[in-house]
Amino acid sequence: MTRRRAPVPAPAPATTPRLHDTIRLSADGLAKVLGDLEARVLTVVWTFDAPVPARVVHAAVVREHPVAPLTVTTVLNKLVDKRILVRHKVDDLLHYGARLSKAEFLAHVSRRVAEGVLALEPARVAASMIDVLAERDPAQLDELERLIQAARRQRDAAAGGAS
């Protein structure tokens, strides 16, 4: 039996967030793909319409999670290094803002997770996804069916235009 190798992904553009290839299944929300504090900090940054200084982020984070200001600054800088946040100076003070909207980031993460999981065995993963959706949120099955039909129409239109 010949084993198929998974295709090697193209290098990510400099604007694509760098995420670890591990998922913490037991974590909640964004902490599945980021650290717990990274997830808290990023969520706070998304609540602002414009880049903000670290002290503003710290003031919001510390309301629910006791943490030192320097720790928040370190996390902000790590998120910059991961290309999740951007940092720039305003009046000699560093301001941090999200590189992507929450929706854009979640779409990117969801795609990365799906690509990684599908490397297992696509048919079984798809069957498991359907089973889980049926158990947790049956209405999502209808949405999944709508997305599948849209993808088929797009594929068929592309194939028709290519001939």
Side-chain angles (χ1 to χ4, degrees):
M1 182 168 130
T2 306
R3 293 183 72 146
R4 286 181 65 195
R5 282 192 170 172
V8 176
T15 57
T16 302
R18 289 185 335 192
L19 300 171
H20 293 290
D21 287 334
T22 55
I23 299 171
R24 293 175 36 215
L25 296 176
S26 61
D28 292 328
L30 290 174
K32 288 187 182 303
V33 294
L34 298 171
D36 294 327
L37 189 54
E38 287 177 332
R40 289 175 191 266
V41 166
L42 180 56
T43 299
V44 165
V45 170
W46 277 326
T47 64
F48 295 97
D49 291 333
V52 293
R55 70 172 181 259
V56 172
V57 176
H58 174 260
V61 171
V62 80
R63 286 185 205 132
E64 295 181 14
H65 183 76
V67 62
L70 185 56
T71 302
V72 170
T73 301
T74 299
V75 169
L76 286 164
N77 288 321
K78 283 184 180 183
L79 291 171
V80 169
D81 292 344
K82 291 180 178 185
R83 297 190 294 250
I84 295 170
L85 297 181
V86 293
R87 171 184 59 214
H88 63 275
K89 276 190 177 181
V90 176
D91 298 328
D92 292 331
L93 190 61
L94 290 174
H95 284 60
Y96 298 84
R99 186 179 291 274
L100 300 172
S101 70
K102 184 175 183 178
E104 291 168 330
F105 184 77
L106 291 175
H108 173 76
V109 169
S110 297
R111 182 170 182 94
R112 285 278 315 273
V113 168
E115 288 169 346
V117 171
L118 285 173
L120 293 172
E121 191 171 330
R124 288 183 193 231
V125 170
S128 295
M129 180 67 70
I130 291 167
D131 290 344
V132 170
L133 282 175
E135 292 167 10
R136 291 190 179 180
D137 190 355
Q140 284 296 316
L141 286 177
D142 295 335
E143 177 62 10
L144 181 59
E145 183 176 11
R146 186 191 68 75
L147 292 170
I148 290 169
Q149 293 302 325
R152 284 186 175 147
R153 284 191 299 275
Q154 187 177 7
R155 177 199 64 197
D156 294 346
S163 33

